[in-house]
Amino acid sequence: VTYTYDNLANNVNLIALDANGRTGRINRVRITASGADPIIASDGVDYLVVYQDARMGKTVAWSVSPTAEVHSASTLDIRPSYSSYGSLLWTGQKYLLGTTTSGSGQQTAVMTMDRSASTVGNARLIGPGTSPSLAWNGSDALMVWTSGSNSSRNGFELQGALLGEDGTLRSTVATVSTSSNVQLAPVIATGGAYDLAVWTEPGGIYATRITTQGAALDGRGIPIFTATADQSLTSNGVQPMRALFDGTAYLVAWGGYGGVMGQRIDAQTGSPLGTPITLASCATSFDLANDRSSVVLFAVDCSDRHLYAQRVGLTGAVGPKMPISPTGTLTVAPRAAWNGQEWLVAWNHLIPVVSQMQFPVYNSDVYAARLSGSLTLLDTQPIGLALSERDESSPLVASDGRDFLVVWSRRSYDAVAGLYFRRVRSDGSIGATSSPATGPYEADSLVWSGSRYTVAYESTWSYWSHDLFLSHIAGREDETSVPDRVPFSLTELDERSASLVATAAGRVRLVYMRVAPEPQYGGVPRVFLRDDIPEPRRRPARAR
């Protein structure tokens, strides 16, 4: 049994094969315009085919002959509805169908059926989970299924139970295997005795100190923030997160639930210093950076969406809010860098797009502005860096100690999609636009390492799997070398969400997330760390 898609409909195809695999009769039946997912089992003579007819919203079973003829059919009473990825087997007397019901929480279920495709009794709910699989040993059936999800506090679990031939439980539900907790949204900070890596899990925010050799010191992780029972950080989100060294301790900041919170961490011991403090009571997105005097918060106010800067002390916000973006503009995703004398702040200006959808659709331009050390705005009008009819998004900013580099992603369905950058000089003038990579890429992180810029970005060809890349951009504007494009992937697995820092030793260190199939992790997203490739040594110029 197969199913094919043609003429805006899916077809279930019953194909009779002989013992040598030669094709006999083919019975093609058009059933629906939305999905089929057939499964099949045999009683030794005939066959049972079960599929989902999405047009009717029902699960259908056929009794099929060896010559691909349908003897009889029935509609299965599986409530609230059938979900695909089921399992079907013959026990010697009856068929057992393992499936997943959908609705308010997915449940694994089992149903008994006879040779004529008729159900025997009602479906039995076994437990929360999806994707059941069945096996028969002559007297009992073992059904195993997956429980948990990306938003589960305890990760994924493989659970199982013994069933009788009528689908009744003959054992308690047992945990066969477990996975690690999901880890997402990593960031890294440097400057203290150790580096600090931070990430989110469904149950909270955690951190660990990292040695210069790349070893994590804090095992399970230092708890920074614990979610309440009705919160799931992977679904409700606490992104963005930021972490930096303020000269005496690390400050970890996170947004979500309307505001921005912060927690100071002892750089030597990893112990939290005091309790979380409020950095902003009403913000949609933010960045955190420090200059020669203190930490500065750059946040978008959730009331009117304007961007402002404000200094941060040991107990929270200090002094007045200093407005940055023009009144009446919708701003998001601020990023800031300090060059030793002044700030450059870049952000997205959202522009409504005419759409037939029920929710707002926006494109975005990239603007920037300079601020003095006292947070006074130096540019009466924002500097337009990327203004187009396309979606110019996710700006990143870094400084070489004099000038600045701004990198952003251009989202487009034509050949101009890709990663772009422009230099902003300390006097506010700007250089030409260049691109280190064209294609569907999303910028993640940008850092100055002492002699060149390093940008981490990910491919977005597929929603399910991303690849990470690094590009190195020359520090001096007069250098004409083309930025390289270094594939980061070591595993050919889904890798994304990189965060970069330049350490005191001159190396670029990054944390990132990838799906981890190793047995100790169980195939869930986890956070990893590695160092960038070393910078090439420059040969001294020969005397002529």
Side-chain angles (χ1 to χ4, degrees):
V1 58
T2 65
Y3 89 95
T4 57
Y5 180 82
D6 62 84
N7 296 326
L8 301 180
N10 287 337
N11 302 300
V12 168
N13 308 305
L14 302 177
I15 305 173
L17 306 173
D18 64 17
N20 295 315
R22 290 189 293 266
T23 302
R25 184 173 186 272
I26 299 178
N27 184 8
R28 173 172 295 182
V29 183
R30 184 181 304 277
I31 58 166
T32 177
S34 180
D37 302 318
I39 54 177
I40 187 170
S42 176
D43 62 4
V45 179
D46 293 327
Y47 300 89
L48 189 71
V49 175
V50 178
Y51 65 88
Q52 182 182 14
D53 189 334
R55 175 174 52 86
M56 297 191 304
K58 300 290 186 179
T59 301
V60 178
W62 286 340
S63 174
V64 179
S65 75
T67 57
E69 297 174 340
V70 178
H71 288 320
S72 57
S74 66
T75 300
L76 306 187
D77 185 20
I78 299 177
R79 294 292 183 266
S81 66
Y82 170 84
S83 180
S84 58
Y85 308 111
S87 180
L88 185 66
L89 61 79
W90 174 252
T91 67
Q93 299 294 325
K94 296 180 178 65
Y95 286 99
L96 285 183
L97 170 66
T99 185
T100 306
T101 63
S102 60
S104 56
Q106 291 182 315
Q107 296 274 328
T108 55
V110 64
M111 176 172 282
T112 307
M113 304 174 64
D114 61 21
R115 283 188 168 98
S116 67
S118 298
T119 59
V120 181
N122 298 319
R124 301 175 184 270
L125 296 179
I126 304 301
T130 61
S131 307
S133 182
L134 286 162
W136 178 253
N137 69 354
S139 60
D140 298 297
L142 174 66
M143 186 165 78
V144 293
W145 63 92
T146 301
S147 66
S149 67
N150 278 347
S151 61
S152 170
R153 290 170 180 264
N154 298 317
F156 291 95
E157 291 185 344
L158 186 65
Q159 295 187 312
L162 291 176
L163 309 175
E165 64 178 1
D166 59 353
T168 57
L169 277 171
R170 289 187 175 176
S171 73
T172 58
V173 174
T175 299
V176 179
S177 178
T178 61
S179 69
S180 299
N181 293 342
V182 172
Q183 296 179 339
L184 301 171
V187 294
I188 188 170
T190 190
Y194 305 99
D195 296 336
L196 188 75
V198 189
W199 66 91
T200 66
E201 295 183 13
I205 301 173
Y206 294 85
T208 186
R209 294 167 296 155
I210 304 292
T211 68
T212 55
Q213 292 75 32
L217 296 178
D218 297 301
R220 169 68 182 86
I222 306 162
I224 304 296
F225 169 79
T226 302
T228 60
D230 61 344
Q231 293 173 338
S232 173
L233 299 191
T234 57
S235 59
N236 294 333
V238 293
Q239 300 183 39
M241 284 201 309
R242 297 288 179 267
L244 56 76
F245 184 65
D246 66 8
T248 58
Y250 284 108
L251 176 61
V252 178
W254 62 92
Y257 313 112
V260 180
M261 302 295 295
Q263 174 66 64
R264 300 181 77 242
I265 302 294
D266 186 279
Q268 183 68 43
T269 66
S271 301
L273 299 174
T275 58
I277 58 177
T278 299
L279 305 183
S281 59
C282 177
T284 59
S285 58
F286 74 96
D287 195 16
L288 203 66
N290 55 352
D291 57 16
R292 60 177 179 264
S293 57
S294 69
V295 175
V296 180
L297 173 73
F298 300 89
V300 176
D301 192 280
C302 65
S303 59
D304 59 7
R305 304 296 295 272
H306 80 276
L307 174 62
Y308 67 88
Q310 186 167 44
R311 293 201 176 273
V312 172
L314 297 180
T315 59
V318 177
K321 297 178 180 179
M322 306 298 289
I324 299 175
S325 61
T327 303
T329 60
L330 298 178
T331 57
V332 70
R335 295 294 183 270
W338 171 254
N339 72 351
Q341 300 293 327
E342 62 189 26
W343 291 97
L344 182 73
V345 187
W347 66 88
N348 273 142
H349 172 207
L350 299 183
I351 304 170
V353 177
V354 176
S355 173
Q356 302 299 320
M357 299 181 181
Q358 296 180 351
F359 52 87
V361 177
Y362 298 95
N363 277 344
S364 55
D365 291 335
V366 177
Y367 283 91
R370 295 172 301 138
L371 279 71
S372 69
S374 61
L375 303 184
T376 301
L377 196 61
L378 299 178
D379 298 299
T380 56
Q381 293 295 324
I383 304 168
L385 295 178
L387 314 178
S388 73
E389 295 181 355
R390 298 176 176 86
D391 191 11
E392 316 281 0
S393 66
S394 307
L396 305 172
V397 187
S399 174
D400 62 3
R402 184 185 64 180
D403 299 324
F404 302 90
L405 188 76
V406 180
V407 176
W408 69 91
S409 305
R410 176 174 292 170
R411 297 172 180 171
S412 178
Y413 294 101
D414 53 25
V416 298
L419 213 65
Y420 289 82
F421 69 86
R422 295 186 82 167
R423 300 177 191 273
V424 180
R425 305 177 189 95
S426 58
D427 61 2
S429 60
I430 56 179
T433 300
S434 300
S435 175
T438 57
Y441 294 109
E442 186 74 19
D444 283 344
S445 188
L446 174 68
V447 70
W448 169 255
S449 64
S451 61
R452 61 181 181 177
Y453 294 98
T454 301
V455 57
Y457 53 100
E458 58 192 70
S459 66
T460 56
W461 290 101
S462 166
Y463 172 82
W464 302 106
S465 180
H466 289 198
D467 293 321
L468 279 178
F469 296 90
L470 300 177
S471 281
H472 303 99
I473 301 172
R476 296 199 307 270
E477 188 172 6
D478 57 356
E479 290 186 352
T480 58
S481 60
V482 177
D484 57 9
R485 179 174 176 271
V486 182
F488 172 81
S489 177
L490 298 177
T491 61
E492 297 184 355
L493 296 171
D494 183 27
E495 296 172 331
R496 61 181 78 192
S497 304
S499 175
L500 304 172
V501 292
T503 67
R507 72 166 61 95
V508 173
R509 174 163 283 181
L510 63 159
V511 290
Y512 64 101
M513 183 199 80
R514 71 167 171 84
V515 173
E518 294 89 338
Q520 65 268 36
Y521 302 126
V524 298
R526 299 284 290 183
V527 171
F528 294 85
L529 176 142
R530 63 166 279 191
D531 291 336
D532 185 14
I533 58 175
E535 295 191 39
R537 293 184 178 180
R538 298 180 181 272
R539 294 183 179 180
R542 294 182 179 179
R544 293 185 178 180

